[in-house]
């Protein structure tokens, strides 16, 4: 992507101060830019960098008043951060702007793909699938039979979607994601072995969901494992069978949710959290990294921490005493000695 | 799968009450069924749902006596849960009933595949492999040189098996599983860098083992990393080099076992557990989720919890006090003050 | 690999005691060998095994003096462990000695591959890539556009490298590794949904880095996520956007590092560790397994443990008291009772 300051001004409906012919071809933080970098200044904390930046063009607010001489070209816009993000989104869309069907690839009987599709080489689509418009299926993805994928969804390389699963529109699945592997269900037998409980359900991912690399979502035993609209899952997350992840809930990396648990809306779950099976967590619950949630939370918006977790502030107080436990232990020991001495003294006083 | 009540009766050796021509094409919990769903009633706790269910056919016990009028069609069998599971297994077998060799796929020199094989497009088999009968290797799996795979084993898409590894019969490996990557072994050098210790062993997976999505099993430095018969590993589990997982041991998601550790038989390991290297855990050891096991456990059947873990009941007692540590701290502080006051009083009394 | 004792002697510049024609074709620990195994004896602790070993040839030190009769063939070398490792490395290099371009594979426009390349079937290289000499790209790997890979680097099957990432020379990436997936960045909107923050940076992996199976490294929001020379990452590790992993730092399995954190050089990070975002850890920091690091560590070489972590020795002392918390609680309760009794006694004494 190459763009002049002048073209940027037009694109962003901005005003120019400096060299209209300045050209940028990449983006950078204001303190890390080079002569062909585009940067932005939104937070006044970073203002000092404006006067020393190497970046060729910097987006600033329309009402920003520099306190020192500026050498770089400025483009003034209403909201520099929003404008910068729009440019980034456009840049990302351009570099990922793939379309067409590369060969060899595989499309099974009765499967339909919408217009504008990108199907990478060595990608595989099973039978009876319905793939929407402008879907991107990168190389080496495997889509099982009877799968549905909504418009504009992107599957990066090496994603697997098992049969009968449904993925909404405008979703992003990163490499290595597995959707629809069997739930972990086994019935113990009298000889100590386990019989597999057939996992006949599927996974349903609603619209606007993003799922990070190597994250796994198991199919339901019966019915569906569900990820609601707008939820965002980071890398290496484990979602067990029959779990439901609520709308706009965010789950950080390496977290694991056990079977049949329902996460509410707008939750924020930290990394490496473990959540037990068959419980419900209320909307807006926040869980600190590495916590373990063992039971249902009914009250919305609670902050939880610890393993097993309890309320965040309480946990920090307990943790503070934990750090000083050897000292507490010694105080108790000393108290006992003082008390014993007192008893002796009292007896002598009698 | 479409089946009539009459055909179900014959299949399950059951008796019919209701419409012999009722047709079902899917399965559902009794409380979630639709007119074409098959459900079952085994647990008396769910009996109320029988009188309101939408499910077209419900399997019930031969001696079940309804306490209210039943509208749906009943098929009476000896054990409704067992019969239902048999139907589910048949259903799953049917929808996964793939066979034949899809093109393009790759089979290296001197490799033999048994009859009834399914080899998906873009699947790769190296040289000198021995693949048993009725094995299913889904698209985009990669099997290295000199690998052996037993009869009826299923490798879902995007599984990797490195060279020289052995997988038994009737195993299931879910998508993204990696078998035989190098163990994590490096020798520190005097300049602070590390020299790779060659990992020349392999991984041996015995019969009837199921391995969840994106789980990793490293090859041994020398000898074999072993997963014994009937063991079940969930998603995103890490098995390091030279580990041995005992027969019928079950390991939940995101657990990691460090190198050269031996897990006994019939263990139950919760999710996100960490197990240190070079230790042995006795048969039947149970480990609560998120626990950390640092040392050998010789006595069979113990319940462990915590990080570092100790005996489950003890841990819960310590944890209960932990939650109230600020209050305990205050009690000790108050005791000190009372004691000090008492000393003053005593001195005044003298 | 088949080799005689005589050939081994020449190769290792050693001296022979026993049967010059003894042949070995595999390697084993001295206590586990068979007649065709090569073993070594370096640690005197294992000397007893020398007199009972089945191994056909054993490497021993030049100055080793057996205290009992030896039946196996000995090859005397300067350093048996170093010699044995050299043999192992040679063996591993031989069994992985692949080259050439298998068909079908995919190389995009303007991409160049160096001489001696191995490109497995169904491997995919995008546009404008620069792939060095003797690089091995196993089947089903996917390399995005504009990627650079240095000489002698190995990508095992099913590795994904997103566009614009750079991988150095002599690196090893194990199966399922994902390099360059989007960082987990979302801006909360007033309606509770999240807007994706474009991730326009890349991942830079320097020389001599090894990365374990199914490990994920996210691309930077802007700039680069960096793994410095000689770092070693185990399986299932999560490296978030804009993280920097220092030179020769070792990270064990299932550890997760949150965004923008900088790990120093020569760190040793245990398994399942969580490290918070936007912090810096000093060179040589050691972190025990399952610990959680919440804040910057400035002093080099500290040992940390716990979640949240503090200094290792201190942690163990607190943990020791934790195990006895119920008893401490009871002591405080008893003290209170004794004190109360004392007060009553004092009042009576007045």
């Amino acid at each position: 992507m190459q763009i002049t300051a002048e073209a940027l001004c037009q694109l962003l409906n901005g005003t120019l101060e400096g060299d209209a012919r300045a050209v940028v071809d990449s983006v950078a933080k204001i303190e890390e830019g080079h002569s062909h970098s585009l940067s932005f200044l939104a937070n006044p904390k970073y203002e000092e960098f404006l006067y020393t930046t190497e970046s060729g063009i910097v987006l600033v607010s329309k009402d920003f008043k520099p306190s020192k001489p500026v050498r770089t070209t400025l483009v003034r816009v209403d909201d520099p951060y929003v404008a910068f993000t729009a440019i980034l989104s456009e840049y990302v869309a351009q570099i990922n702007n793939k379309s067409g069907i590369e060969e060899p690839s595989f499309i099974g009987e009765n499967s339909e793909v919408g217009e504008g599709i990108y199907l990478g080489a060595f990608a595989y689509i099973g039978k009876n699938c319905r793939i929407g418009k402008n879907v991107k299926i990168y190389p080496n993805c495997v889509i099982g039979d009877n799968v549905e994928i909504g418009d504009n969804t992107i599957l990066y390389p090496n994603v697997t979607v098992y049969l009968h699963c449904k993925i909404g529109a405008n979703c992003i699945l990163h490499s290595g994601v597995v959707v629809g592997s069997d739930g972990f269900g086994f019935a113990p037998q009298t000889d100590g072995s386990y019989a597999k409980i057939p996992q006949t359900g599927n996974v349903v991912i609603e619209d606007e969901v993003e799922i990070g690399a190597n994250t796994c979502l198991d199919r339901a035993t019966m019915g569906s494992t569900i990820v609601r609209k707008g939820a965002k899952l980071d890398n290496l997350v484990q979602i067990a069978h029959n779990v439901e992840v609520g709308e706009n809930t965010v789950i950080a990396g390496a977290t694991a949710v056990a079977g049949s648990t329902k996460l509410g809306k707008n939750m924020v779950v930290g990394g490496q959290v473990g959540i037990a099976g068959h419980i419900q967590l209320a909307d807006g619950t926040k869980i600190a990294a590495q916590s373990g949630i063992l039971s249902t939370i009914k009250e919305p918006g609670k902050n939880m921490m610890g393993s097993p977790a309890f309320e965040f502030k309480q946990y920090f107080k307990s943790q503070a005493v934990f750090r000083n436990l050897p000292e507490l232990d010694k105080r108790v020991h000393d108290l006992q000695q003082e008390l014993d001495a007192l008893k002796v003294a009292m007896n002598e006083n009698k």
Side-chain angles (χ1 to χ4, degrees), chain A:
Chain A
M1 186 177 77
Q2 270 209 342
I3 193 163
T4 62
E6 193 168 20
L8 258 179
C9 265
Q10 288 180 347
L11 193 69
L12 299 172
N13 198 20
T15 56
L16 184 77
E17 285 176 30
D19 180 5
R21 289 166 306 178
V23 170
V24 289
D25 60 11
S26 59
V27 294
K29 292 182 194 170
I30 192 166
E31 68 271 32
E32 295 176 353
H34 301 290
S35 62
H36 283 57
S37 303
L38 172 68
S39 297
F40 75 102
L41 173 65
N43 188 333
K45 194 168 85 173
Y46 294 96
E47 183 180 333
E48 273 309 305
F49 291 118
L50 180 65
Y51 310 115
T52 56
T53 187
E54 301 286 324
S55 295
I57 306 178
V58 178
L59 307 183
V60 297
S61 166
K62 284 199 164 154
D63 53 9
F64 170 72
K65 289 177 188 151
S67 58
K68 298 184 187 176
V70 173
R71 293 174 306 169
T72 185
T73 294
L74 299 182
V75 172
R76 293 183 173 276
V77 295
D78 287 335
D79 183 330
Y81 177 69
V82 166
F84 189 72
T85 300
I87 295 289
L88 292 188
S89 297
E90 178 57 26
Y91 169 69
V92 167
Q94 277 188 26
I95 60 175
N96 288 293
N97 186 26
K98 302 212 169 254
S99 67
I101 297 181
E102 295 174 352
E103 292 296 340
S105 52
F106 189 102
I107 302 182
E109 292 168 22
N110 289 319
S111 284
E112 291 172 11
V113 300
E115 59 187 34
I117 194 170
Y118 168 60
L119 186 66
F122 318 124
Y124 182 103
I125 297 176
K127 300 174 195 169
N128 308 315
C129 294
R130 296 288 166 272
I131 313 294
K133 293 178 189 170
N134 301 313
V135 169
K136 289 183 175 47
I137 299 176
Y138 275 73
N140 290 9
C141 287
V142 180
I143 315 290
D145 297 342
N146 297 289
V147 165
E148 296 176 21
I149 300 181
D151 295 347
N152 308 312
T153 283
I154 301 172
L155 275 61
Y156 283 107
N158 283 315
V159 167
T160 304
V161 183
Y162 281 56
L163 77 178
H164 293 189
C165 293
K166 296 180 187 185
I167 300 174
N170 304 311
C171 292
I172 299 175
L173 274 62
H174 284 283
S175 290
V177 164
V178 177
V179 177
S181 41
D182 283 348
F184 197 61
F186 301 93
Q189 308 294 295
T190 50
D191 67 351
S193 72
Y194 290 88
K196 182 174 175 68
I197 299 173
Q199 305 290 311
T200 66
N202 70 348
V203 177
V204 174
I205 296 172
E206 296 187 349
D207 299 345
E208 322 282 350
V209 169
E210 182 159 343
I211 300 182
N214 285 340
T215 281
C216 302
L217 301 103
D218 279 353
R219 67 197 309 109
T221 308
M222 285 192 285
S224 298
T225 302
I226 303 176
V227 181
R228 295 284 179 208
K229 187 178 175 181
K232 312 292 179 190
L233 278 57
D234 199 355
N235 299 348
L236 293 164
V237 170
Q238 153 70 349
I239 302 293
H241 47 180
N242 294 87
V243 163
E244 182 174 330
V245 177
E247 205 173 307
N248 295 325
T249 279
V250 173
I251 302 179
T255 282
V257 184
S260 299
T261 281
K262 297 211 183 309
L263 307 187
K265 298 179 190 180
N266 302 110
M267 284 180 53
V268 178
V269 182
Q272 294 181 321
V273 166
I275 301 178
H278 299 273
I279 62 173
Q280 289 82 45
L281 304 188
D283 294 350
T285 303
K286 288 184 177 58
I287 306 172
Q290 294 193 321
S291 297
I293 306 292
L294 296 189
S295 49
T296 288
I297 297 173
K298 291 187 176 168
E299 190 189 329
K302 291 189 85 169
N303 278 274
M304 306 296 288
M305 188 170 186
S307 174
F310 47 99
E311 202 277 332
F312 186 83
K313 282 180 192 164
Q314 247 189 297
Y315 180 84
F316 253 92
K317 285 178 190 161
S318 281
Q319 186 63 25
V321 181
F322 175 80
R323 288 184 71 134
N324 293 313
L325 271 186
E327 187 260 351
L328 179 64
D329 190 59
K330 185 170 183 308
R331 276 159 59 203
V332 173
H333 177 260
D334 292 350
L335 265 172
Q336 185 72 58
Q337 290 200 317
E338 286 182 52
L339 191 66
D340 291 346
L342 211 58
K343 283 185 189 169
V344 171
M346 267 188 66
N347 283 333
E348 287 169 357
N349 279 357
K350 268 183 192 166

